[in-house]
Amino acid sequence: MAISEVLEAERPLVEDDVVDGCVDYKGRPVNNRSKYGGWRSALFIIGVEMAERFAYYGVSSNLITYLTGPLAQSTATAAENVNAWSGVASLLPLFGAFLADSFLGRYRAIIIASLIYVLAFGADQFDSQHPQESKLKSSFFNWWYFGMCMGTFVTLTVLNYIQDNLNWILGFGIPCILMVVALVVFLLGTKIYRYSLKGEEKSPFLRIGQVFVTAVRNWRITPSAIALEEEARGTLPHQSSEQFKFLNKALLASNGSKGYGKVCSVGEVEEAKALLRLVPIWTTCLVYAIVFAQSSTFFTKQGVTMDRSVVADFQIPAASLQSFISLAIVLTIPIYDRIFVPIARTFTRKPAGITMLQRIGTGMFLSAASMTGATLVEMKRLKTAEEYGLVDKPNVTIPMSVWWLIPQYALLGVSEAFTMVGLQEFFYDQVPTELRSVGLSLYLSIFGVGSFLSSFLISAIENATGGDGRDSWFANNLNKGHLDYFYWLLAGLSFIQLVVYLYFAKSYIYNRGNAS
């Protein structure tokens, strides 16, 4: 219903309105806004992502059970391997995005790889310069993630049962088939997509790289010479020119004169600064990514030890508990998009209600609260195991309902609805236009690096707390381990991260003057 309302909002657009910088599938300029792009084409792309997430989580959500079960790996080793697998899967799109933005274009990149470029291509279907479509683009990121989580929800409720109770081969084979279906769905929308028109200017990577190289070469140039050049051009925004001032040296040739050697334009310097401003935000999101990695590893192992009975002779698969993350997101996003944003918009006058960084920070706080709740539940689980004399009986179900885990899953889901969607929109919006696939890959790389950091942290703690006959925090018998200590550590790091994030977010200067 909500999407149909958005479609209605798009109809008043002038039919012969030209969309600058876009062509149709035959290479002709888009001169009919209602015929090409917008929600008509975005729905195909959201459908692709639903199938892609079904495939991805069909493997990742229950991988730790497969590794500790049929492959007989230890809990710590399996968690490290799941994190490493997720890390590689999240970092590879960086290379693909480079090819998409520099050579192939996003449409061809999707045909070849069907990965993160789907999101960048979907956002391209809305014109940022058009007042109505600018609002719809922000809404697109919400409904994109909604569709993605719907695919994840089906995976966690259906595939995990097949894997645990029927056949692992079938459980891993179905996702492969779904990826083929996803590609077919994407191709069905070929005739109504908008395709970004690549300009004749040099590669954005070369432009930005030249700024840094020129600035380094000009390290001896005095601030007074830079100030004179800024005053002469009179085009640098004051706030931006005061930030990363060393890059302003790229405005001058090596001998301090404009007349000799290579110099960079104001726009190129601003592009380089825009990328540099992303670094603190990217870095302060890494702890959030470490917490995110726990839902498919230790949260699942906790559930295995608890009473998972729903009705007689039926137990919910432990990995299926992750569906409550998706369910929380599916419930939160429509409320956020259709109720919260309009209300917030009346107070803030911002098209998206609140800024992207405010949205990300809200999710970070909820993530820290989720880890605090997870700690308290794990302490109760360990106490229950001790009270019933089950500490040395890892294969006996602890008489504590698995529903105790639901709050930590639900809180993590609500935090995702804020932080994940916020990060997607932020890294799409705040990079140069030609680097939007790379921008979204940078967002995804947070979770790739976070997965590797989680793997490293688990390995370090395993080595520090285990050995010499001692049980580590991640003992194969979780009743003898101390996941509660690990969760306390992550909760503490999350709150510290939030404080540092707020410091950088407060001083962040939005690119293109867009704070929404």
Side-chain angles (χ1 to χ4, degrees):
M1 179 178 176
I3 291 181
S4 64
E5 292 174 6
V6 176
L7 281 167
E8 289 294 325
E10 193 182 41
R11 288 180 186 173
L13 295 175
V14 181
E15 288 202 347
D16 60 349
D17 209 1
V18 175
V19 182
D20 293 332
C22 290
V23 296
D24 64 11
Y25 71 106
K26 290 186 176 181
R28 300 170 300 192
V30 174
N31 56 12
N32 189 330
R33 191 179 294 273
S34 63
K35 184 177 179 181
Y36 299 99
W39 276 109
R40 293 180 71 238
S41 53
L43 291 175
F44 281 99
I45 297 165
I46 290 175
V48 172
E49 184 57 16
M50 289 177 67
E52 190 275 327
R53 287 293 92 180
F54 185 98
Y56 176 83
Y57 281 102
V59 176
S60 68
S61 63
N62 212 14
L63 190 55
I64 193 167
T65 304
Y66 181 72
L67 295 178
T68 56
L71 297 190
Q73 293 184 356
S74 68
T75 300
T77 300
E80 291 170 27
N81 288 335
V82 171
N83 287 329
W85 182 85
S86 298
V88 171
S90 298
L91 286 174
L92 277 178
L94 272 173
F95 173 70
F98 167 76
L99 296 178
D101 282 342
S102 298
F103 305 106
L104 297 174
R106 291 171 194 138
Y107 179 81
R108 293 189 183 92
I110 293 169
I111 298 298
I112 296 171
S114 297
L115 283 172
I116 191 65
Y117 333 110
V118 177
L119 177 53
F121 189 71
D124 285 347
Q125 304 306 304
F126 300 91
D127 184 3
S128 298
Q129 306 305 314
H130 190 276
Q132 184 67 22
E133 289 200 15
S134 177
K135 293 180 181 179
L136 295 178
K137 176 177 284 190
S138 181
S139 186
F140 165 77
F141 284 97
N142 289 326
W143 292 107
W144 157 273
Y145 208 69
F146 177 90
M148 189 177 82
C149 291
M150 283 296 293
T152 304
F153 181 77
V154 174
T155 298
L156 296 171
T157 53
V158 177
L159 273 188
N160 289 161
Y161 180 82
I162 293 174
Q163 291 165 350
D164 281 1
N165 298 281
L166 298 179
N167 189 287
W168 282 100
I169 296 176
L170 178 62
F172 286 148
I174 292 175
C176 179
I177 297 171
L178 258 292
M179 278 310 300
V180 176
V181 173
L183 187 57
V184 173
V185 170
F186 176 75
L187 292 173
L188 290 175
T190 297
K191 291 186 177 182
I192 62 171
Y193 293 142
R194 294 176 189 170
Y195 302 86
S196 295
L197 193 61
K198 297 184 75 68
E200 298 297 326
E201 66 271 9
K202 60 186 175 183
S203 164
F205 293 97
L206 293 178
R207 292 202 308 268
I208 293 170
Q210 184 182 334
V211 171
F212 287 98
V213 171
T214 306
V216 170
R217 286 177 177 172
N218 292 347
W219 66 275
R220 293 182 178 178
I221 290 178
T222 62
S224 59
I226 300 173
L228 287 173
E229 178 62 15
E230 291 177 3
E231 186 177 351
R233 299 199 182 194
T235 52
L236 277 173
H238 175 70
Q239 270 190 307
S240 183
S241 62
E242 289 300 314
Q243 197 174 37
F244 306 125
K245 291 188 70 171
F246 67 93
L247 289 179
N248 293 352
K249 295 181 179 182
L251 294 170
L252 295 168
S254 299
N255 62 356
S257 168
K258 294 182 289 181
Y260 303 91
K262 290 185 177 180
V263 297
C264 299
S265 69
V266 171
E268 290 169 345
V269 171
E270 288 303 297
E271 284 182 336
K273 288 184 177 183
L275 282 185
L276 212 52
R277 281 194 288 270
L278 298 178
V279 174
I281 303 300
W282 186 94
T283 305
T284 52
C285 289
L286 290 175
V287 175
Y288 178 85
I290 294 175
V291 171
F292 177 80
Q294 309 316 312
S295 63
S296 60
T297 53
F298 292 128
F299 281 19
T300 300
K301 292 302 293 181
Q302 277 180 288
V304 170
T305 69
M306 301 168 73
D307 181 9
R308 293 177 283 124
S309 299
V310 178
V311 294
D313 300 324
F314 177 78
Q315 287 191 331
I316 183 173
S320 292
L321 293 172
Q322 294 171 63
S323 63
F324 286 96
I325 295 178
S326 300
L327 184 60
I329 296 170
V330 166
L331 293 175
T332 300
I333 286 179
I335 295 172
Y336 181 90
D337 190 74
R338 310 307 295 171
I339 299 176
F340 175 79
V341 170
I343 293 174
R345 192 182 289 153
T346 61
F347 292 98
T348 65
R349 305 298 178 187
K350 298 182 183 297
I354 58 176
T355 67
M356 292 174 279
L357 291 178
Q358 287 171 340
R359 181 173 186 169
I360 293 167
T362 301
M364 285 184 174
F365 173 78
L366 293 173
S367 171
S370 173
M371 288 313 303
T372 302
T375 305
L376 298 176
V377 171
E378 176 61 9
M379 291 171 65
K380 178 173 176 57
R381 192 192 69 82
L382 291 173
K383 184 179 180 181
T384 303
E386 185 177 0
E387 288 176 351
Y388 284 85
L390 301 177
V391 173
D392 294 313
K393 299 177 181 178
N395 295 322
V396 177
T397 300
I398 295 174
M400 176 179 171
S401 175
V402 77
W403 303 117
W404 278 89
L405 297 177
I406 303 306
Q408 68 197 54
Y409 279 108
L411 267 177
L412 202 56
V414 177
S415 83
E416 278 192 43
F418 280 86
T419 297
M420 294 288 244
V421 181
L423 284 172
Q424 289 175 357
E425 187 174 3
F426 178 77
F427 280 95
Y428 176 88
D429 184 78
Q430 294 298 298
V431 297
T433 303
E434 302 94 328
L435 291 180
R436 282 175 169 170
S437 290
V438 171
L440 288 167
S441 295
L442 284 173
Y443 137 74
L444 197 59
S445 72
I446 292 173
F447 298 92
V449 174
S451 292
F452 281 116
L453 289 176
S454 177
S455 182
F456 170 78
L457 192 60
I458 292 169
S459 179
I461 293 174
E462 173 77 2
N463 292 330
T465 62
D468 298 326
R470 296 177 299 167
D471 290 307
S472 75
W473 289 5
F474 314 115
N476 290 338
N477 179 359
L478 287 186
N479 299 336
K480 287 187 173 183
H482 274 292
L483 279 182
D484 53 336
Y485 293 172
F486 182 58
Y487 289 167
W488 271 131
L489 174 64
L490 293 184
L493 290 174
S494 295
F495 282 112
I496 293 171
Q497 164 205 245
L498 180 59
V499 172
V500 177
Y501 169 83
L502 291 175
Y503 171 80
F504 286 112
K506 186 177 180 181
S507 60
Y508 183 83
I509 301 172
Y510 282 88
N511 189 26
R512 297 186 292 278
N514 181 9
S516 59

